[in-house]
Amino acid sequence: MFEALGRFIHRGRKPLLILTLVFAVFSGIYGVGVFGDMKPGGFEDPNSESRKAARLAEEAFPQRAPDAVVVYRSKDKTVDDPAFRDAVVTKLDSLPDSAVTGSAHFWMTKMPAQVSRDRHATYVAMNLKGGDDNAKEASYKKIKDKLDVEGLETLQGGPVPTGFQAGEEIGKDLAAAEGYSFPVLFLLLVVVFGGLAAASLPLLVGGLSILGSMAVLRVIAQFTDVSVFAMSLVTILGLAVAIDYGLLIVSRYREELAAGHTGEDALARTVATAGRTVMVSGITVAVALFGMTFFPFAFLKSMAYGGVAAVVLSVFFSIIALPAALAVMGTKVNSLSFRRKRNAAASRAAKAAEEGPWFRLAQGLMRRPVAVAVAAVAIMLALAAPFLRIDFGANDARQLPDSAEGRQVHNIMERDFEGDGVKSIDALLKLPGEAKSPEQGAALQAYAERLAEVPGAKEAQISGAEGTSGRISVSFDGDAVSADARDLVNDLRAVERPPGATVYFGGETAVFDDTLDALADVLPWMLLYIAVATYILLFLAFGSVLLPLKAIAMNLLSLSATFGILVWIFQDGHLADLIGFDPTGNIEPNMPIMLFALIFGLSMDYEVFLVSRIREQYDLLGDPSAAVATGLQSIGKLIASAALLMCVPLAAMATSGVLTMTLFGVGMVIAILLDVAVVRILLVPAVMKLMGHAGWWAPGPLKKVYARVGIKEGDAVLADREVPRERVPAGR
C-alpha cells in the first residue's frame, strides 16, 4: 500500500503541490478567525452538581461569587473620606446594565472584609452579564477600560479578568515562541542535514499543519466550546511533530538516493518505509490524544481536538505533500550543502561497515543487559518517587506573572485584607413552595442551623430567597481547595435536607471537588482505552505480542519519572528561581491528564521510529541482537536529533509568564529527554537483548491476522532486501 502510494505521489507530484498551496492559503485565511471563536476556562464539569448550583444561582439571585474584583486604592485618603466613596460609587453607577448585573461595594455591604487593614483600599465584587464564560468575558471587554477612577489606583482581578489576562499573555508568549523557534529550528536542521534545501522542508510541513489545524479548530468551534488554551498545543505540537516526521522522511529519502535509487523508486521506498513509520506513529499519538475527549471538561476536549488535528495533518503533509516536494526536487534536495560530497559507493561502504558509535553503544549495552535494565529502571523509579505525594489545586491568579493586574489583585487581597468576604460553600435549594412563605422559611432556617453544626463550618446563613429558590452560604477558614475544605463539602452534602427540596452545592470548593471526582471516574476508562488501542496498533505494525507490552510498560515508567520531577519542581518549588515561577504548593489536576496523553503518544513516536528500523534489520538479518545494533546505528542519530528539535519549541513555551504553560513546556522537555536518553537508547536495547527471538513471537492465529491486515511496507521493497552471507555480530 505505502509503496504504491509513493509511486502515485511521484506521478502526480505537481498537482499535489498546487493543491497543497491552495489548502494553505484558504486554511490560513479561514483559520485566523479561530481566535474570536474560542472561549476561556473550560476546567469545570458542565454536568456536575456545582454547575447546576451555579445555573440555579444565575437564574434566581445575583451571583454571590463575583466574576470580577476591582481594587481601588488611595495614597492619602481612606475609605471613610466622602470623596473616596463618591468617586467609586459614581463610577460604578455609570457602568452599563448590558454588561454589569450587580456590584457590591463596602459602602453598600458595610462588610469590614472589604476594607484593607490601613483603610486606604477597598475592593468591589462585580457580577457580569452572561450565561457562560465567553459571554461574561464579552461583557468584561465592554467595561475594562471604563473602571479607572481619577486620583485612585485601580487594579482589575477576579475570575473573568484573570482569564482574559491569561489569554492575552498566552497569545504574546505563543508569538514569541514561534518567533524564537523557527529560526533556531532552521539553524539546527541545517546542522543536521548539512544543507539549506533539506533543512527547509520539515519547517514547511510544520507551517502547513499549524495553518490547517487552526482551520479545523474554527470549524469545531462552530459546534462546541473550544478553549483558548488549545491554540498553544496546536502551535507547539504541530511544529514539533511535523519536524519529527519531516526529518524522518527527508533523511530516508536522502539515504535512498545515497544507496543508488533515484526518481520513482527512491520515493516509493521512502514512503514504503519512513512513510509507513510516520503513519503508525501518527495514529498512535492521535489515539492517545483522543483519550482526552472521554473527560467532560472543555479544556481537555479542546486539547484533544487541537492535538489530533495537528498530528493527523502533520502525518498527511509528511506522507503526501513532502514526498511530492521531494519528487520535484530529486537530487537537488542535497543542494546548498555545506558538507563535502561523498560518492554513492563510499556511502554504501560506510553503511555496510556499520561500526559507528550507536552500533558500538548497542553492543556495550547488550553485553550486560540485566545490569543496564536494572540500573535504568532504578533511576526512573527514584525520579518517580515524588509523584506519590502529588497535591492537586485549582488554577487561580498565581498562574499569572507579577506584572499582571489579576496577580496583583490576588497579592493585595492576601496581604492587605482580612479574610475573604466572598468565599463560601453555597447550598442552592429548589423548594416545594415559596421560599418566603413561613413554612419554607422555617425549613430553610432549620437546614442552615444543621449545616452550621458540621465540624469545620464557621456559620451558615440564608443569603437568598426568591420564588421557589433558596440559598444558604456556609463560611469556613482555610484555603478553598484544601483537603479540609473538600471534606467539609462532602460532610455538608450528607446533612439531612428540607422535605421535598432538591439541593445543589456550589462555590469554588464544590467545583474543585466535583472536578476531582469526574477525573477519578473517567481516568480508568481513558487508561484502558489507550492501552488496548496502542497494543492493537503496535501489533499490527510489528506482528509481535510482546513488544507492545514492553512499549506500554516503558511508557508508564517514563511518565511516572516525569510526573515525579514535575512535583519536585512545581509543587515543592525547587528550581523556581531558575525557571522563573512562583510555586503554588500544588498542581492543577487537568495538567497531568493532558501531559499523560501527550507524553504517552510522543513516547510511542520514538518507540515506533526505533522498533520499525530494528524490525527492518531483523527481517534482513534474522538475528535479534544484530538487528538491535544495526537498527540503533541507522536511526539513533535521527532520534536524538528529532528529540533535540522537538525540545526547541517546547522550551520556548516553558519561558511563558503563565504558570500552566511553563509547567507544560518544562514537563514535555523533561519527558522527551528522559524517554530518549534513558528508555529508548539504554533500556530498549537491553530489554530486547533479553527477549531475543521471543520479542518477535506471535501465536499461529495472530500471525495469520498480521499477515492479512498488518501495516506493512510493500512487497517490492521487502523482496529487494537480500540476506547477507554473514550476520553482523552484536552483543556477543
Side-chain angles (χ1 to χ4, degrees), residues 13-147:
R13 54 193 179 276
K14 291 183 179 179
L16 285 173
L17 286 179
I18 293 173
L19 288 174
T20 300
L21 178 62
V22 172
F23 174 86
V25 171
F26 278 97
S27 61
I29 294 173
Y30 177 74
V32 73
V34 70
F35 295 98
D37 293 332
M38 293 188 295
K39 299 184 178 182
F43 297 96
E44 300 176 10
D45 178 1
N47 299 314
S48 66
E49 179 182 320
S50 55
R51 283 306 301 164
K52 293 175 182 176
R55 285 192 288 269
L56 181 56
E58 181 77 28
E59 294 170 2
F61 315 106
Q63 264 189 298
R64 188 170 190 275
D67 300 312
V69 175
V70 185
V71 172
Y72 292 101
R73 178 186 293 279
S74 173
K75 293 181 179 179
D76 54 356
K77 297 183 180 68
T78 69
V79 295
D80 305 306
D81 191 316
F84 192 137
R85 178 198 62 204
D86 293 344
V88 173
V89 172
T90 300
K91 173 60 67 175
L92 295 176
D93 290 343
S94 69
L95 298 177
D97 294 338
S98 61
V100 179
T101 60
S103 57
H105 51 77
F106 164 69
W107 301 281
M108 172 199 302
T109 65
K110 307 300 182 184
M111 289 175 56
Q114 282 189 268
V115 179
S116 64
R117 293 183 181 91
D118 65 3
R119 303 192 69 79
H120 281 272
T122 184
Y123 70 81
V124 177
M126 193 173 295
N127 297 127
L128 302 172
K129 189 175 183 62
D132 56 30
D133 291 338
N134 207 39
K136 289 181 179 180
E137 185 172 286
S139 295
Y140 172 65
K141 289 178 182 178
K142 294 179 182 178
I143 63 168
K144 70 183 185 70
D145 296 326
K146 301 177 181 179
L147 293 171

Side-chain angles (χ1 to χ4, degrees), residues 376-559:
V377 171
I379 291 171
M380 299 297 270
L381 290 178
L383 293 173
F387 183 47
L388 296 174
R389 52 181 173 76
I390 189 171
D391 187 21
F392 295 114
N395 265 337
D396 58 29
R398 289 176 294 176
Q399 70 172 315
L400 293 174
D402 288 334
S403 59
E405 285 191 31
R407 177 63 183 274
Q408 293 175 36
V409 168
H410 177 274
N411 292 343
I412 289 172
M413 296 284 287
E414 290 283 324
R415 184 186 67 238
D416 298 341
F417 287 80
E418 193 72 52
D420 189 340
V422 296
K423 180 185 72 177
S424 67
I425 298 170
D426 295 333
L428 277 300
L429 298 91
K430 203 66 179 174
L431 301 165
E434 288 292 324
K436 294 181 180 179
S437 68
E439 180 184 358
Q440 296 304 322
L444 274 175
Q445 184 59 42
Y447 185 48
E449 292 172 358
R450 293 196 295 273
L451 293 177
E453 293 173 356
V454 174
K458 286 179 62 178
E459 62 176 348
Q461 57 182 354
I462 300 173
S463 56
E466 192 69 37
T468 58
S469 299
R471 180 176 62 198
I472 298 173
S473 297
V474 181
S475 60
F476 59 97
D477 291 324
D479 186 0
V481 296
S482 65
D484 289 341
R486 299 200 301 271
D487 289 341
L488 176 59
V489 166
N490 291 312
D491 290 342
L492 292 172
R493 285 170 171 159
V495 172
E496 180 187 355
R497 303 180 177 192
T502 301
V503 183
Y504 303 115
F505 280 87
E508 184 180 0
T509 307
V511 168
F512 187 66
D513 190 63
D514 287 344
T515 297
L516 292 182
D517 287 345
L519 289 172
D521 290 342
V522 177
L523 182 58
W525 296 106
M526 174 199 176
L527 297 178
L528 178 64
Y529 152 76
I530 290 178
V532 171
T534 300
Y535 185 92
I536 293 172
L537 283 169
L538 293 183
F539 170 76
L540 294 177
F542 303 129
S544 164
V545 297
L546 295 181
L547 286 180
L549 291 177
K550 172 196 71 74
I552 292 172
M554 289 185 178
N555 272 22
L556 294 177
L557 187 65
S558 179
L559 277 160

Side-chain angles (χ1 to χ4, degrees), residues 191-210:
V191 173
V192 171
F193 286 124
L196 297 175
S200 63
L201 294 174
L203 288 176
L204 171 66
V205 176
L208 289 170
S209 64
I210 291 172

Side-chain angles (χ1 to χ4, degrees), residues 216-412:
V216 171
L217 277 183
R218 187 175 184 189
V219 171
I220 294 174
Q222 309 309 309
F223 302 96
T224 188
D225 291 350
V226 175
S227 171
V228 67
F229 289 95
M231 271 311 302
S232 61
L233 185 64
V234 163
T235 302
I236 300 303
L237 186 65
L239 186 58
V241 173
I243 286 178
D244 265 13
Y245 296 160
L247 182 65
L248 186 66
I249 295 288
V250 174
S251 296
R252 189 58 184 250
Y253 183 72
R254 297 176 81 194
E255 186 179 316
E256 296 297 339
L257 291 178
H261 301 286
T262 58
E264 185 175 322
D265 287 340
L267 195 71
R269 294 175 66 85
T270 298
V271 176
T273 53
R276 167 193 171 276
T277 300
V278 166
M279 175 68 81
V280 173
S281 175
I283 293 175
T284 307
V285 177
V287 162
L289 293 174
F290 185 77
M292 288 189 286
T293 63
F294 286 28
F295 295 93
F297 310 107
F299 171 79
L300 290 178
K301 288 180 180 292
S302 300
M303 289 298 185
Y305 303 147
V308 170
V311 171
V312 169
L313 287 171
S314 294
V315 170
F316 177 79
F317 289 120
S318 293
I319 64 175
I320 301 295
L322 181 54
L326 291 171
V328 171
M329 296 174 72
T331 58
K332 291 181 180 178
V333 71
N334 294 318
S335 62
L336 302 176
S337 176
F338 298 109
R339 296 175 182 169
R340 287 187 296 178
K341 296 181 180 179
R342 297 188 301 175
N343 58 43
S347 298
R348 285 196 296 272
K351 183 176 184 297
E354 292 181 317
E355 292 290 336
W358 295 98
F359 181 87
R360 292 192 293 272
L361 174 62
Q363 282 187 314
L365 294 171
M366 288 188 290
R367 288 192 187 100
R368 297 176 179 82
V370 174
V372 171
V374 170
V377 171
I379 291 171
M380 299 297 270
L381 290 178
L383 293 173
F387 183 47
L388 296 174
R389 52 181 173 76
I390 189 171
D391 187 21
F392 295 114
N395 265 337
D396 58 29
R398 289 176 294 176
Q399 70 172 315
L400 293 174
D402 288 334
S403 59
E405 285 191 31
R407 177 63 183 274
Q408 293 175 36
V409 168
H410 177 274
N411 292 343
I412 289 172

